Protein backbone atom coordinates (compact mmCIF):
# COMPACT_ATOMS: atom_id res chain seq x y z
CA UNK A 1 0.00 0.00 0.00
CA UNK A 2 1.52 3.31 -1.09
CA UNK A 3 1.69 6.57 0.77
CA UNK A 4 -0.85 8.08 -1.64
CA UNK A 5 -3.64 6.49 0.41
CA UNK A 6 -2.52 8.03 3.70
CA UNK A 7 -4.30 11.42 3.45
CA UNK A 8 -7.63 9.77 2.68
CA UNK A 9 -7.50 7.41 5.63
CA UNK A 10 -6.18 10.16 7.89
CA UNK A 11 -9.06 12.41 6.91
CA UNK A 12 -11.44 9.65 7.98
CA UNK A 13 -9.56 9.38 11.28
CA UNK A 14 -9.97 13.14 11.75
CA UNK A 15 -13.71 12.80 11.17
CA UNK A 16 -13.83 10.19 13.91
CA UNK A 17 -11.72 12.34 16.23
CA UNK A 18 -14.12 15.27 15.84
CA UNK A 19 -16.81 13.09 17.47
CA UNK A 20 -14.90 13.18 20.73
CA UNK A 21 -15.69 15.60 23.56
CA UNK A 22 -14.20 18.99 24.28
CA UNK A 23 -13.55 20.33 26.86
CA UNK A 24 -11.86 17.26 28.29
CA UNK A 25 -8.53 16.53 29.98
CA UNK A 26 -7.58 14.44 26.95
CA UNK A 27 -7.28 15.38 23.27
CA UNK A 28 -9.74 14.30 20.59
CA UNK A 29 -8.21 11.39 18.68
CA UNK A 30 -9.42 9.11 15.90
CA UNK A 31 -7.97 5.88 14.52
CA UNK A 32 -8.57 3.78 11.39
CA UNK A 33 -6.98 0.33 11.02
CA UNK A 34 -6.59 -0.78 7.39
CA UNK A 35 -5.74 -4.39 6.56
CA UNK A 36 -3.09 -5.53 4.04
CA UNK A 37 -5.81 -5.83 1.39
CA UNK A 38 -6.76 -2.15 1.76
CA UNK A 39 -10.03 -2.71 3.62
CA UNK A 40 -10.95 -1.11 6.92
CA UNK A 41 -10.87 -3.67 9.74
CA UNK A 42 -11.39 -1.32 12.69
CA UNK A 43 -12.26 2.25 13.62
CA UNK A 44 -12.40 4.11 16.91
CA UNK A 45 -12.25 7.47 18.63
CA UNK A 46 -11.62 8.67 22.16
CA UNK A 47 -14.83 9.25 24.14
CA UNK A 48 -13.31 11.24 27.01
CA UNK A 49 -11.04 10.91 30.03
CA UNK A 50 -11.05 7.43 31.51
CA UNK A 51 -12.41 5.73 28.37
CA UNK A 52 -10.30 3.61 25.98
CA UNK A 53 -8.06 5.54 23.64
CA UNK A 54 -8.91 5.64 19.94
CA UNK A 55 -6.29 3.03 19.05
CA UNK A 56 -7.58 0.59 21.67
CA UNK A 57 -11.16 0.91 20.47
CA UNK A 58 -10.12 0.42 16.83
CA UNK A 59 -7.92 -2.60 17.67
CA UNK A 60 -10.73 -4.24 19.63
CA UNK A 61 -12.92 -3.98 16.54
CA UNK A 62 -10.16 -5.23 14.26
CA UNK A 63 -9.23 -8.28 16.34
CA UNK A 64 -6.92 -10.60 14.41
CA UNK A 65 -7.42 -8.38 11.36
CA UNK A 66 -4.90 -5.95 12.88
CA UNK A 67 -1.97 -8.29 12.13
CA UNK A 68 0.05 -6.79 9.30
CA UNK A 69 -2.32 -3.83 9.12
CA UNK A 70 -1.67 -0.08 9.05
CA UNK A 71 -3.08 2.15 11.80
CA UNK A 72 -3.86 5.76 10.90
CA UNK A 73 -4.00 7.88 14.05
CA UNK A 74 -4.56 11.62 14.37
CA UNK A 75 -2.15 11.93 17.31
CA UNK A 76 1.14 10.17 17.95
CA UNK A 77 0.29 7.03 20.00
CA UNK A 78 1.04 7.50 23.69
CA UNK A 79 3.84 5.61 25.40
CA UNK A 80 2.88 6.14 29.04
CA UNK A 81 0.43 4.59 31.48
CA UNK A 82 -2.25 6.93 32.79
CA UNK A 83 -5.84 5.91 33.41
CA UNK A 84 -5.30 3.48 30.53
CA UNK A 85 -2.27 1.58 29.27
CA UNK A 86 0.13 2.80 26.58
CA UNK A 87 -1.26 2.60 23.05
CA UNK A 88 2.18 1.83 21.63
CA UNK A 89 2.24 -1.53 23.43
CA UNK A 90 -1.29 -2.34 22.28
CA UNK A 91 -0.34 -1.65 18.66
CA UNK A 92 2.80 -3.76 18.93
CA UNK A 93 0.97 -6.65 20.63
CA UNK A 94 -1.78 -6.54 17.97
CA UNK A 95 0.81 -7.09 15.25
CA UNK A 96 0.30 -3.80 13.42
CA UNK A 97 3.11 -3.43 10.86
CA UNK A 98 2.80 0.29 10.16
CA UNK A 99 1.57 3.38 12.02
CA UNK A 100 0.82 6.67 10.30
CA UNK A 101 0.06 9.61 12.57
CA UNK A 102 -0.75 13.28 12.01
CA UNK A 103 0.31 15.37 15.00
CA UNK A 104 3.26 14.71 17.30
CA UNK A 105 2.10 14.60 20.91
CA UNK A 106 2.87 17.99 22.57
CA UNK A 107 2.35 16.47 26.02
CA UNK A 108 5.83 15.59 27.37
CA UNK A 109 4.27 12.98 29.68
CA UNK A 110 2.85 11.04 26.73
CA UNK A 111 5.34 11.74 23.93
CA UNK A 112 7.87 9.25 22.62
CA UNK A 113 5.43 6.82 21.06
CA UNK A 114 6.99 7.03 17.60
CA UNK A 115 10.41 6.05 18.94
CA UNK A 116 8.96 3.12 20.89
CA UNK A 117 7.12 1.81 17.84
CA UNK A 118 10.19 2.16 15.62
CA UNK A 119 12.31 0.31 18.17
CA UNK A 120 9.81 -2.55 18.05
CA UNK A 121 10.12 -2.84 14.27
CA UNK A 122 6.95 -1.00 13.34
CA UNK A 123 7.27 1.30 10.31
CA UNK A 124 6.27 4.82 11.43
CA UNK A 125 5.28 7.86 9.36
CA UNK A 126 4.37 11.17 10.99
CA UNK A 127 3.07 14.55 9.90
CA UNK A 128 0.23 13.45 7.59
CA UNK A 129 -2.44 16.21 7.70
CA UNK A 130 -0.67 17.55 10.80
CA UNK A 131 -2.11 21.06 10.39
CA UNK A 132 -5.67 19.74 10.43
CA UNK A 133 -4.99 17.60 13.48
CA UNK A 134 -3.37 20.50 15.32
CA UNK A 135 -6.36 22.74 14.54
CA UNK A 136 -8.74 20.14 15.94
CA UNK A 137 -6.91 20.05 19.27
CA UNK A 138 -5.63 23.64 19.39
CA UNK A 139 -7.26 24.51 22.72
CA UNK A 140 -6.15 21.25 24.33
CA UNK A 141 -2.57 21.85 23.17
CA UNK A 142 -2.67 25.32 24.73
CA UNK A 143 -3.74 23.91 28.09
CA UNK A 144 -0.89 21.40 27.95
CA UNK A 145 1.60 24.17 27.18
CA UNK A 146 0.26 26.41 29.95
CA UNK A 147 -0.30 23.72 32.55
CA UNK A 148 -3.62 25.29 33.54
CA UNK A 149 -7.14 25.72 32.17
CA UNK A 150 -7.72 28.27 29.44
CA UNK A 151 -9.60 31.35 30.62
CA UNK A 152 -12.12 33.25 28.52
CA UNK A 153 -13.28 36.54 30.04
CA UNK A 154 -16.78 37.57 29.02
CA UNK A 155 -18.05 41.09 29.65
CA UNK A 156 -21.11 43.09 28.70
CA UNK A 157 -20.63 46.83 28.52
CA UNK A 158 -22.11 50.05 27.25
CA UNK A 159 -20.36 52.22 24.66
CA UNK A 160 -18.81 54.21 27.50
CA UNK A 161 -17.41 51.10 29.20
CA UNK A 162 -19.94 50.65 32.02
CA UNK A 163 -21.03 47.25 33.25
CA UNK A 164 -23.68 48.55 35.67
CA UNK A 165 -25.57 51.75 36.38
CA UNK A 166 -24.92 54.01 39.36
CA UNK A 167 -27.57 52.14 41.40
CA UNK A 168 -25.86 48.80 40.68
CA UNK A 169 -28.41 47.49 38.19
CA UNK A 170 -26.95 45.62 35.22
CA UNK A 171 -29.85 43.58 33.80
CA UNK A 172 -29.97 43.94 30.96
CA UNK A 173 -27.20 45.91 29.26
CA UNK A 174 -27.39 43.81 26.11
CA UNK A 175 -30.39 42.48 24.24
CA UNK A 176 -31.98 39.07 24.09
CA UNK A 177 -30.00 37.92 21.03
CA UNK A 178 -26.67 38.69 22.71
CA UNK A 179 -27.72 36.90 25.87
CA UNK A 180 -28.67 33.82 23.86
CA UNK A 181 -25.29 34.00 22.12
CA UNK A 182 -23.58 33.98 25.53
CA UNK A 183 -25.32 30.72 26.41
CA UNK A 184 -24.00 29.09 23.23
CA UNK A 185 -20.42 30.06 24.08
CA UNK A 186 -20.82 29.29 27.77
CA UNK A 187 -21.92 25.77 26.82
CA UNK A 188 -18.58 25.22 25.02
CA UNK A 189 -16.65 25.52 28.29
CA UNK A 190 -16.53 23.06 31.16
CA UNK A 191 -16.65 25.57 34.02
CA UNK A 192 -18.14 29.01 34.68
CA UNK A 193 -16.22 31.03 37.26
CA UNK A 194 -17.33 34.08 39.27
CA UNK A 195 -16.39 35.69 42.57
CA UNK A 196 -18.46 35.64 45.73
CA UNK A 197 -19.10 39.36 45.25
CA UNK A 198 -20.92 38.69 41.99
CA UNK A 199 -23.01 35.92 43.56
CA UNK A 200 -24.06 38.18 46.43
CA UNK A 201 -24.69 41.29 44.32
CA UNK A 202 -26.25 39.81 41.15
CA UNK A 203 -27.47 36.36 42.29
CA UNK A 204 -26.78 34.72 38.88
CA UNK A 205 -27.76 31.16 37.99
CA UNK A 206 -24.65 30.56 35.81
CA UNK A 207 -26.49 27.85 33.89
CA UNK A 208 -26.65 27.09 30.18
CA UNK A 209 -30.10 27.49 28.68
CA UNK A 210 -31.50 26.62 25.26
CA UNK A 211 -33.03 29.30 22.98
CA UNK A 212 -36.49 28.50 24.35
CA UNK A 213 -35.32 29.17 27.90
CA UNK A 214 -35.05 25.59 29.12
CA UNK A 215 -32.03 24.24 30.97
CA UNK A 216 -29.59 22.45 28.69
CA UNK A 217 -29.07 18.76 29.36
CA UNK A 218 -25.34 19.23 30.01
CA UNK A 219 -24.27 21.95 32.43
CA UNK A 220 -20.72 23.24 33.02
CA UNK A 221 -19.30 23.18 36.51
CA UNK A 222 -20.29 26.35 38.39
CA UNK A 223 -17.33 27.64 40.40
CA UNK A 224 -17.40 30.49 42.94
CA UNK A 225 -14.11 31.83 44.30
CA UNK A 226 -13.62 34.10 47.31
CA UNK A 227 -13.67 34.00 51.09
CA UNK A 228 -17.23 35.06 51.81
CA UNK A 229 -19.76 32.22 52.04
CA UNK A 230 -22.28 31.65 49.29
CA UNK A 231 -25.78 32.34 50.66
CA UNK A 232 -27.76 29.12 51.12
CA UNK A 233 -30.62 30.50 49.00
CA UNK A 234 -28.36 31.73 46.16
CA UNK A 235 -29.72 30.81 42.75
CA UNK A 236 -26.36 29.35 41.74
CA UNK A 237 -27.14 26.49 44.15
CA UNK A 238 -30.60 25.79 42.81
CA UNK A 239 -29.99 24.52 39.28
CA UNK A 240 -28.95 20.99 38.30
CA UNK A 241 -25.25 20.34 38.03
CA UNK A 242 -22.28 20.72 40.34
CA UNK A 243 -21.32 23.86 42.26
CA UNK A 244 -17.83 24.14 43.75
CA UNK A 245 -16.54 26.67 46.26
CA UNK A 246 -12.95 27.79 45.78
CA UNK A 247 -12.03 29.42 49.07
CA UNK A 248 -9.24 31.58 47.72
CA UNK A 249 -8.67 35.06 46.33
CA UNK A 250 -5.71 33.87 44.27
CA UNK A 251 -6.47 33.35 40.54
CA UNK A 252 -3.66 30.84 40.14
CA UNK A 253 -4.83 28.80 43.11
CA UNK A 254 -8.38 28.79 41.74
CA UNK A 255 -7.22 27.58 38.32
CA UNK A 256 -4.96 24.96 39.89
CA UNK A 257 -7.92 23.58 41.86
CA UNK A 258 -10.06 23.47 38.73
CA UNK A 259 -7.23 21.83 36.75
CA UNK A 260 -7.05 18.97 39.23
CA UNK A 261 -10.81 18.52 38.87
CA UNK A 262 -10.28 17.92 35.15
CA UNK A 263 -11.39 21.40 34.04
CA UNK A 264 -9.61 22.64 30.92
CA UNK A 265 -11.67 25.58 29.62
CA UNK A 266 -13.02 28.26 31.97
CA UNK A 267 -15.65 30.91 31.21
CA UNK A 268 -14.91 33.88 33.51
CA UNK A 269 -17.95 36.03 34.29
CA UNK A 270 -16.87 37.75 37.49
CA UNK A 271 -17.16 41.43 38.26
CA UNK A 272 -14.61 44.13 37.39
CA UNK A 273 -12.33 43.37 40.35
CA UNK A 274 -12.06 39.67 39.65
CA UNK A 275 -11.56 40.35 35.94
CA UNK A 276 -8.76 42.79 36.76
CA UNK A 277 -7.11 40.23 39.02
CA UNK A 278 -6.96 37.65 36.22
CA UNK A 279 -5.78 40.23 33.68
CA UNK A 280 -3.07 41.58 35.97
CA UNK A 281 -1.87 38.02 36.58
CA UNK A 282 -1.68 37.31 32.84
CA UNK A 283 -4.31 34.58 33.13
CA UNK A 284 -6.78 35.63 30.43
CA UNK A 285 -6.47 33.86 27.07
CA UNK A 286 -9.57 35.09 25.22
CA UNK A 287 -11.94 38.04 25.63
CA UNK A 288 -15.53 38.18 24.44
CA UNK A 289 -16.92 41.68 24.87
CA UNK A 290 -20.59 42.33 24.16
CA UNK A 291 -20.99 46.06 23.54
CA UNK A 292 -24.45 47.63 23.65
CA UNK A 293 -25.24 50.94 21.89
CA UNK A 294 -26.11 52.61 25.19
CA UNK A 295 -24.58 55.29 27.42
CA UNK A 296 -24.65 55.50 31.21
CA UNK A 297 -22.10 58.22 31.93
CA UNK A 298 -21.44 56.76 35.37
CA UNK A 299 -21.70 53.55 37.34
CA UNK A 300 -19.45 50.52 37.56
CA UNK A 301 -16.63 50.18 34.99
CA UNK A 302 -16.22 46.95 33.05
CA UNK A 303 -12.83 46.30 34.66
CA UNK A 304 -11.08 47.62 37.76
CA UNK A 305 -7.54 49.00 38.18
CA UNK A 306 -5.02 47.27 35.92
CA UNK A 307 -1.99 49.19 37.15
CA UNK A 308 -1.80 51.19 33.92
CA UNK A 309 -0.33 54.65 34.48
CA UNK A 310 0.37 55.62 30.88
CA UNK A 311 -1.10 54.87 27.47
CA UNK A 312 2.11 53.08 26.60
CA UNK A 313 1.35 50.53 29.34
CA UNK A 314 -2.12 49.69 28.01
CA UNK A 315 -3.09 46.03 27.79
CA UNK A 316 -3.27 45.62 24.00
CA UNK A 317 -5.25 42.80 22.42
CA UNK A 318 -5.33 41.42 18.90
CA UNK A 319 -8.73 41.58 17.26
CA UNK A 320 -9.99 38.21 16.04
CA UNK A 321 -13.63 38.78 15.13
CA UNK A 322 -16.40 41.38 15.26
CA UNK A 323 -20.00 40.19 14.89
CA UNK A 324 -23.31 42.05 15.10
CA UNK A 325 -25.64 40.11 17.40
CA UNK A 326 -29.12 41.61 17.39
CA UNK A 327 -28.66 45.26 18.30
CA UNK A 328 -25.31 44.66 19.99
CA UNK A 329 -21.77 43.91 18.87
CA UNK A 330 -19.66 40.92 19.95
CA UNK A 331 -15.91 41.46 19.88
CA UNK A 332 -13.52 38.52 20.21
CA UNK A 333 -9.96 39.55 21.02
CA UNK A 334 -6.85 37.78 22.26
CA UNK A 335 -4.29 39.32 24.64
CA UNK A 336 -0.91 39.72 23.02
CA UNK A 337 1.87 37.39 24.04
CA UNK A 338 4.21 40.39 24.40
CA UNK A 339 1.82 42.23 26.71
CA UNK A 340 2.67 43.66 30.14
CA UNK A 341 4.32 41.40 32.68
CA UNK A 342 1.96 40.03 35.35
CA UNK A 343 1.45 42.41 38.26
CA UNK A 344 0.35 41.82 41.84
CA UNK A 345 -3.23 42.87 42.53
CA UNK A 346 -3.88 46.07 44.49
CA UNK A 347 -4.78 45.79 48.15
CA UNK A 348 -8.56 45.93 48.61
CA UNK A 349 -11.24 44.76 50.97
CA UNK A 350 -13.19 43.07 48.17
CA UNK A 351 -13.48 39.30 48.40
CA UNK A 352 -12.86 39.20 44.66
CA UNK A 353 -9.33 40.58 45.11
CA UNK A 354 -6.59 37.92 45.00
CA UNK A 355 -3.91 37.27 47.51
CA UNK A 356 -0.27 37.25 46.31
CA UNK A 357 0.07 34.95 43.33
CA UNK A 358 1.16 31.37 43.87
CA UNK A 359 3.61 29.62 41.53
CA UNK A 360 2.18 28.46 38.23
CA UNK A 361 0.32 25.16 38.27
CA UNK A 362 2.27 22.15 37.06
CA UNK A 363 1.25 20.52 33.79
CA UNK A 364 0.16 17.30 35.50
Amino acid sequence: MGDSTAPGWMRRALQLAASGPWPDPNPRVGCVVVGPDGSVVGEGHHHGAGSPHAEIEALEVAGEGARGATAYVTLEPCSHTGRTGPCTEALIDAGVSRVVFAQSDPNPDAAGGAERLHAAGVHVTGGVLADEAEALNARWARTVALGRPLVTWKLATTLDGRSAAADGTSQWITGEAARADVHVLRASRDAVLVGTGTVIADDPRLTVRTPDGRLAADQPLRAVMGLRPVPPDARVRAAPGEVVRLETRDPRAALDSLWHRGVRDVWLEGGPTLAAAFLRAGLVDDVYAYVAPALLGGGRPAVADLGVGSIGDAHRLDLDEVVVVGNDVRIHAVPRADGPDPLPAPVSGSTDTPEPLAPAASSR
Side-chain angles (χ1 to χ4, degrees), residues 109-198:
D109 293 335
E115 290 85 349
R116 173 69 187 102
L117 290 167
H118 180 74
V122 178
H123 181 69
V124 180
T125 302
V128 176
L129 301 186
D131 289 347
E132 295 182 34
E134 290 169 7
L136 181 69
N137 283 312
R139 295 189 71 79
W140 170 79
R142 286 175 68 190
T143 68
V144 170
L146 293 169
R148 61 163 175 82
L150 298 178
V151 177
T152 300
W153 174 41
K154 170 261 175 183
L155 66 153
T157 178
T158 60
L159 284 175
D160 53 347
R162 303 295 173 174
S163 64
D167 64 356
T169 56
S170 60
Q171 296 181 341
W172 295 104
I173 287 176
T174 55
E176 186 175 339
R179 298 198 298 275
D181 192 67
V182 168
H183 282 276
V184 173
L185 289 173
R186 187 189 281 176
S188 68
R189 272 60 176 178
D190 50 354
V192 181
L193 177 62
V194 299
T196 51
T198 293

Side-chain angles (χ1 to χ4, degrees), residues 110-354:
E115 290 85 349
R116 173 69 187 102
L117 290 167
H118 180 74
V122 178
H123 181 69
V124 180
T125 302
V128 176
L129 301 186
D131 289 347
E132 295 182 34
E134 290 169 7
L136 181 69
N137 283 312
R139 295 189 71 79
W140 170 79
R142 286 175 68 190
T143 68
V144 170
L146 293 169
R148 61 163 175 82
L150 298 178
V151 177
T152 300
W153 174 41
K154 170 261 175 183
L155 66 153
T157 178
T158 60
L159 284 175
D160 53 347
R162 303 295 173 174
S163 64
D167 64 356
T169 56
S170 60
Q171 296 181 341
W172 295 104
I173 287 176
T174 55
E176 186 175 339
R179 298 198 298 275
D181 192 67
V182 168
H183 282 276
V184 173
L185 289 173
R186 187 189 281 176
S188 68
R189 272 60 176 178
D190 50 354
V192 181
L193 177 62
V194 299
T196 51
T198 293
V199 169
I200 293 169
D202 297 340
D203 198 19
R205 292 185 178 90
L206 304 181
T207 53
V208 170
R209 294 185 289 279
T210 60
D212 60 4
R214 293 182 299 174
L215 286 171
D218 297 319
Q219 295 290 330
L221 176 73
R222 300 190 294 281
V224 182
M225 65 176 286
L227 301 185
R228 284 187 285 180
V230 175
D233 59 347
R235 293 197 295 179
V236 72
R237 295 183 182 275
E242 186 180 359
V243 179
V244 61
R245 282 278 288 110
L246 306 175
E247 295 188 39
T248 180
R249 295 174 177 173
D250 179 351
R252 287 199 188 278
L255 292 181
D256 188 58
S257 178
L258 292 173
W259 176 271
H260 287 95
R261 287 176 171 270
V263 171
R264 294 297 181 266
D265 223 334
V266 172
W267 187 255
L268 180 67
E269 290 201 23
T273 307
L274 187 64
F278 274 80
L279 287 164
R280 291 171 67 99
L283 296 174
V284 172
D285 304 290
D286 292 276
V287 176
Y288 279 93
Y290 290 82
V291 182
L295 300 168
L296 286 174
R300 187 172 64 191
V303 64
D305 179 24
L306 292 177
V308 175
S310 171
I311 192 66
D313 297 327
H315 288 242
R316 301 288 182 180
L317 293 83
D318 289 323
L319 189 64
D320 179 70
E321 184 183 44
V322 178
V323 178
V324 175
V325 183
N327 197 44
D328 305 306
V329 175
R330 185 189 75 201
I331 300 171
H332 177 217
V334 180
R336 294 178 179 175
D338 59 351
D341 292 332
L343 296 171
V347 176
S348 167
S350 167
T351 57
D352 284 344
T353 302

Side-chain angles (χ1 to χ4, degrees), residues 26-54:
N26 290 346
R28 292 186 285 181
V29 182
C31 178
V32 178
V33 180
V34 179
D37 64 353
S39 63
V40 175
V41 295
E43 292 185 340
H45 73 275
H46 188 49
H47 296 264
S51 66
H53 287 191

